[in-house]
Amino acid sequence: MAVSIRNKMRELVLSVQYFVFTKIFKMDIHPSAKISFGAKIDKTYPEGIHIGKESYVASGAIVFSHDYARAIKVDTRIGKRCFIGANAIIMAGVTIGDEVIVGSGAVVTKNVPSHTIVAGNPARVIREEIKTQKYGQLVQKEIS
């Protein structure tokens, strides 16, 4: 019973978080996307945040849409079925394609093509031609 109540409370809090992000801050976040409570989504230029269908932003990840040093506010896009790992940083103006996995701690400074895994600082492609499912979970190829 306690687990059920906890799950219901979590869903309620996620609903409130989604409402705040999309209705108050005017971020473009698909209703099926999930953002961890510990993730930091830039509120300096919230209209510049775009997160696609069935994507997941893990705890500690930071998604920027402004660069204070260069005095710019730009759109930052995360495609559909992406996974942004814990403590990854997505810099302002970056576009991440569909079905991308960003490794934990990666610093993404340039656009990322669809169907890839990126990792490192600065992030670079370490695997191509991948497929993901809901929330960026990697689909393993069957060996025949």
Side-chain angles (χ1 to χ4, degrees), residues 67-79:
D67 183 336
Y68 185 79
R70 296 185 292 158
I72 61 171
K73 294 178 180 178
V74 294
D75 290 339
T76 302
R77 299 178 186 282
I78 297 172

Side-chain angles (χ1 to χ4, degrees), residues 28-30 33 35 41 49-53 55 57 63 76 78-79:
D28 174 25
I29 301 172
H30 193 277
I35 300 171
I41 309 297
I49 299 294
H50 308 276
I51 300 175
K53 174 179 162 182
S55 287
V57 181
V63 181
T76 302
I78 297 172

